[in-house]
Amino acid sequence: MTQTQKILAARAGKKDVHAGELIMADVDLVLGNDITAPVAIGEFAKFGRGEVFDRGKIALVPDHFTPNKDVKAAEQCACMRNFAEAQNIGNYFEVGHDCGIEHALLPEKGLVTAGDLVIGADSHTCTYGALGAFSTGIGSTDMACAMATGKIWLRVPEAIKVELTGSFNPHVGGKDLILHLIGMIGVDGARYQSLEFTGPGISALTMDDRFTVANMAIEAGAKNGIFPVDETCLAYLRGHGAKSPVAHEADENAEYVRTIGIDLSELKPTVAFPHLPENTREIDSVGDIKIDQVVIGSCTNGRLGDLKAAAEILAGRTVAKNVRCIVIPATQRIWIEALERGYLRTFAEAGCVVSTPTCGPCLGGHMGILARGERAVTTTNRNFVGRMGHVESEIYLASPAVAAASAVLGKIASPDALTR
Amino acid sequence: MKIRGSVHRFADNVDTDVIIPARHLNTSDPKELAAHCMEDIDAEFSAKVRSGDIIVAGKNFGCGSSREHAPIAIKGSGVSCVIATTFARIFYRNALNIGLPILECAEAAEKIASGDTVSVDLAAGTIRNETTGDVFQAEAFPPFMRELIEAGGLAAYMTRHQPSK
């Protein structure tokens, strides 16, 4: 069995499972946000159970349209807040107090550990594969059903093995790796399948790199992306007070539909052009593309390592005159740590605006909407038509380092293009 | 259940952001969502779609976000069925869970044209193009899934079939 299949077998109480098999599995955590949870709460009532199956295994995170962008968004947050209170759900994370973007927040709070089965009514729930958990996005009705029963039916996926060797060159990281992979296999290249990352190159990836890579597994259509549970992972889990990990390893004779080898030392900064994450180009062949906005943040790239990479480039430099650069630390804790390390001052002095944690502009919600014809370089995860604003705006996906360098030069640029 | 209507065709990789843009996700009301369904790739869609109409598309339909608002918007528009070469997995679950029938059929997705009148038999899995006379075979829906769709989705189906606590 693959690493994913082993977790699914364990959570379904079975000795083994095979690809294509339908299983009923126990969930360790059910997640919802201010867009998806209100729909799930409405459906939950229809199931006729008064209480959720386990109030300690549900997490509700207001992050998409928060701080509330309008009256309707405020009503959706109120719906979730009231439900959390009525059900006595402790893992509700209020704006300002303990807030953050769900997929950065849950690992930080130690709510996910290796071997867990996590489902979330948000497609980027696959992020927790970085911790050796099986995690996948589902819809609101599935969330409601899991809140009522603690169970979910799943089809056991086939897997693609991604074998990493070598290590990154300067200014290359997790975002470039996952964009490169999506460029190779396409936005449906791993549809219904697991992406299992292995190989000696894994040790070169920081936890922040791994979160970024697992986060965008969905952009290749994957059901989940997953990493081995190594010392880097275990240290992270210990450091964040997570439950005892259960490390599952793929069998030596595990079956994969294909194996893809990637030498990290051959990767270059990579940019995904409009309007699909698969439209990737290496930075050298981007051409001269002027930009209007830069966004550094999101569940993909709003962690401390991402802000560090951007701050190192922006220190002592200024954002180009016609560019708006918006920096969004992903959680309150990251925001405070970025403050203490001086990154926020660096950003502000360079001419960036620093926001409270929110998904905001990533999905065209608020805090940085694009006008007709405008172009943005962003560290987010999707560049679909109209995703960040006007239907005739354009989104270019890139790493924090490329985004910061682009902000300085006013066009899509490599950090190597900067001169002192 | 009878599915019959006029076809609206779309290309590959129709994502959830164009099915229902996030700027409209401050509501989950099917009628409000339907008013903006597909507006970023076909501004006229909500005005021209009629009850019973069928969407036909290419591969990876519904890729992107997990928003259940996407199939809710399509169903709220009166669309009776979506036929595509393939579907993204979260959309696939969500559509069935809210009682919107969807069928994977590469041949039908390739050959059916916009404006054709198509009828679908979910029990047999047949897709009939009444305009051209072509008949295509998709996987038939098992009885429980047909009942789930007729009930209007998973929640309604579960309450019929599971005693509550």
Side-chain angles (χ1 to χ4, degrees), chain A residues 87-174:
Chain A
Q87 296 280 340
N88 200 12
I89 292 168
N91 292 320
Y92 168 80
F93 300 99
E94 190 57 274
V95 170
H97 292 269
D98 222 0
C99 70
I101 298 174
E102 50 196 346
H103 309 308
L105 189 65
L106 267 47
E108 183 185 285
K109 293 285 171 197
L111 289 175
V112 181
T113 196
D116 275 357
L117 191 158
V118 181
I119 58 163
D122 187 279
S123 59
H124 294 108
T125 301
C126 51
T127 307
Y128 317 122
L131 297 170
F134 172 84
S135 61
T136 195
I138 42 89
S140 296
T141 297
D142 277 326
M143 179 190 172
C145 188
M147 286 199 297
T149 64
K151 292 183 181 297
I152 179 123
W153 70 264
L154 294 165
R155 183 165 157 267
V156 177
E158 299 174 311
I160 295 175
K161 184 180 192 175
V162 184
E163 207 153 29
L164 305 178
T165 53
S167 57
F168 291 126
N169 286 310
H171 302 310
V172 179

Side-chain angles (χ1 to χ4, degrees), chain A residues 296 307 310-320 323-329 335 338-339 341-355 404 407-408:
Chain A
I296 299 170
L307 302 185
E312 283 173 357
I313 285 164
L314 286 162
R317 297 193 172 94
T318 50
V319 172
V323 173
R324 298 138 2 220
C325 183
I326 301 160
V327 181
I328 311 176
W335 197 100
L339 174 78
R341 292 186 179 204
Y343 302 159
L344 300 193
R345 186 180 187 95
T346 297
F347 294 137
E349 287 181 347
C352 309
V353 67
V354 181
S355 162
V408 171

Side-chain angles (χ1 to χ4, degrees), chain B residues 60-92:
Chain B
N60 206 26
F61 186 89
C63 63
S65 121
S66 69
R67 62 189 71 160
E68 207 155 291
H69 310 66
I72 293 172
I74 291 172
K75 194 179 178 192
S77 301
V79 169
S80 62
C81 180
V82 183
I83 299 164
T85 310
T86 56
F87 291 93
R89 61 160 283 275
I90 305 177
F91 182 90
Y92 189 87

Side-chain angles (χ1 to χ4, degrees), chain A residues 111-402:
Chain A
L111 289 175
V112 181
T113 196
D116 275 357
L117 191 158
V118 181
I119 58 163
D122 187 279
S123 59
H124 294 108
T125 301
C126 51
T127 307
Y128 317 122
L131 297 170
F134 172 84
S135 61
T136 195
I138 42 89
S140 296
T141 297
D142 277 326
M143 179 190 172
C145 188
M147 286 199 297
T149 64
K151 292 183 181 297
I152 179 123
W153 70 264
L154 294 165
R155 183 165 157 267
V156 177
E158 299 174 311
I160 295 175
K161 184 180 192 175
V162 184
E163 207 153 29
L164 305 178
T165 53
S167 57
F168 291 126
N169 286 310
H171 302 310
V172 179
K175 186 60 162 288
D176 304 297
L177 166 58
I178 190 64
L179 288 177
H180 175 79
L181 179 61
I182 296 165
M184 279 175 78
I185 67 176
V187 292
D188 67 343
R191 205 176 56 91
Y192 273 89
Q193 298 170 338
S194 303
L195 284 170
E196 297 213 343
F197 294 88
T198 65
I202 295 284
S203 59
L205 271 67
T206 64
M207 281 313 302
D208 285 358
D209 282 326
R210 299 178 199 193
F211 284 125
T212 301
V213 171
N215 172 277
M216 287 189 69
I218 178 70
E219 309 316 332
K223 185 168 203 156
N224 69 311
I226 195 162
F227 280 83
V229 183
D230 64 2
E231 194 42 52
T232 303
C233 175
L234 291 170
Y236 181 94
L237 292 170
R238 280 194 301 272
H240 291 81
K243 290 175 298 176
S244 305
V246 181
H248 293 276
E249 279 178 42
D251 291 324
E252 279 192 18
N253 64 352
E255 284 179 25
Y256 298 93
V257 288
R258 62 193 283 204
T259 297
I260 296 169
I262 297 177
D263 182 348
L264 300 177
S265 64
E266 286 181 4
L267 296 181
K268 293 192 172 159
T270 302
V271 178
F273 275 49
H275 292 285
L276 284 175
E278 70 184 25
N279 295 335
T280 55
R281 292 190 203 174
E282 290 185 345
I283 196 75
D284 306 331
S285 51
V286 158
D288 191 26
I289 298 176
K290 289 201 164 38
I291 58 167
D292 305 284
Q293 179 167 299
V294 168
V295 175
I296 299 170
S298 83
C299 62
T300 309
N301 278 126
R303 297 181 183 81
L304 199 65
D306 302 315
L307 302 185
K308 179 173 186 278
E312 283 173 357
I313 285 164
L314 286 162
R317 297 193 172 94
T318 50
V319 172
K321 188 164 166 270
N322 297 321
V323 173
R324 298 138 2 220
C325 183
I326 301 160
V327 181
I328 311 176
T331 69
Q332 188 84 341
R333 186 156 145 189
I334 292 167
W335 197 100
I336 291 169
E337 195 143 352
L339 174 78
E340 287 172 349
R341 292 186 179 204
Y343 302 159
L344 300 193
R345 186 180 187 95
T346 297
F347 294 137
E349 287 181 347
C352 309
V353 67
V354 181
S355 162
T356 178
T358 181
C359 303
C362 171
L363 74 162
H366 63 158
M367 296 295 292
I369 305 301
L370 299 172
R372 180 198 300 267
E374 287 192 332
R375 295 196 189 103
V377 174
T378 96
T379 68
T380 57
N381 42 56
R382 293 194 174 125
N383 54 355
F384 298 153
V385 169
R387 170 85 175 174
M388 198 173 268
H390 197 279
V391 62
E392 288 170 38
S393 59
E394 293 182 352
I395 302 167
Y396 297 78
L397 305 177
S399 69
V402 168

